[in-house]
Amino acid sequence: MPHIALNNDLPGITGLMAHRPDTGGPLGDLADALLRAPSSLEPGERELIAAYVSRLNGTEFCSSSHGAFAAAQLAGGQDLVGAVLADPDTAPVSGRLRALLAVAAEVQGAARPVSDKAVAAARAEGVDDTDLHDTVLIAAAFCMYNRYVSCLATELPKDDAYYRHAARRIVTEGYRAGIVGGEEPAHDGQAR
């Protein structure tokens, strides 16, 4: 049961953002900028970084949500996401993405400079300044999002199909419309 009374029964950050659209709107806009705006990293790759950081933080709602969002946009689908969340060192991803996941893990681990070793490994895989910046910002932001969701003891969806339906909305409509609108996806793909 959440630590605060919500004006809806939506799970995870969805319920928090719908409850407080004044803060939910900017949080949705930030997610859109980080995960959907034009970038040298594909949206699915950025979602995978968010899912991985969320897994490291033990935030099931965010890990499952962003894992579903990544799976909907990556050729390897849920199998690829599962492999990355289990062990990015052996997952079938590019060396570039593996190096960025290592950077994200360092950001998640502590608020200190990413190690020179991790940055050098990323550079050796072709990571540029924008990739590095965006990965650090995604990882840092998801530490905040994860704490928001976990620290207020939000609920998980009653059905895992929620994540697949939410993925369709996020991929087509973005975070402002897909989450901040406050509608939970129904099992037939329509909002309820």
Side-chain angles (χ1 to χ4, degrees):
M1 182 166 190
H3 289 316
I4 62 172
L6 299 176
N7 59 7
N8 62 72
D9 63 352
L10 300 172
I13 201 167
T14 312
L16 297 172
M17 293 172 87
H19 178 72
R20 288 287 308 270
D22 58 326
T23 56
L27 290 173
D29 291 342
L30 178 59
D32 269 329
L34 294 174
L35 303 174
R36 295 176 49 82
S39 170
S40 58
L41 297 172
E42 294 298 320
E45 293 174 319
R46 290 178 276 164
E47 291 285 1
L48 192 56
I49 292 167
Y52 179 59
V53 168
S54 299
R55 173 62 58 93
L56 293 175
N57 280 324
T59 306
E60 186 178 339
F61 179 83
C62 296
S63 180
S64 295
S65 294
H66 294 282
F69 306 164
Q73 299 176 83
L74 293 171
Q78 194 58 50
D79 289 342
L80 175 65
V81 171
V84 167
L85 296 183
D87 184 2
D89 289 336
T90 60
V93 295
S94 68
R96 176 176 170 259
L97 184 55
R98 184 173 289 107
L100 290 172
L101 290 164
V103 167
E106 285 197 18
V107 172
Q108 180 275 335
R112 63 175 176 252
V114 173
S115 69
D116 291 342
K117 180 180 176 183
V119 171
R123 297 283 192 205
E125 293 293 343
V127 168
D128 65 17
D129 286 351
T130 301
D131 297 336
L132 191 59
H133 171 275
D134 292 356
T135 298
V136 168
L137 186 53
I138 290 166
F142 273 84
C143 287
M144 175 195 63
Y145 286 123
N146 297 160
R147 283 158 180 77
Y148 184 40
V149 168
S150 294
C151 293
L152 286 173
T154 63
E155 307 240 345
L156 292 172
K158 293 174 180 53
D159 183 343
D160 282 346
Y162 172 89
Y163 299 114
R164 290 186 304 279
H165 296 294
R168 284 195 284 274
R169 286 184 55 156
I170 295 301
V171 169
T172 59
E173 300 175 34
Y175 285 89
R176 170 74 75 153
I179 289 180
V180 181
E183 295 179 359
E184 182 177 2
H187 297 288
D188 61 0
Q190 301 297 313
R192 64 175 174 138

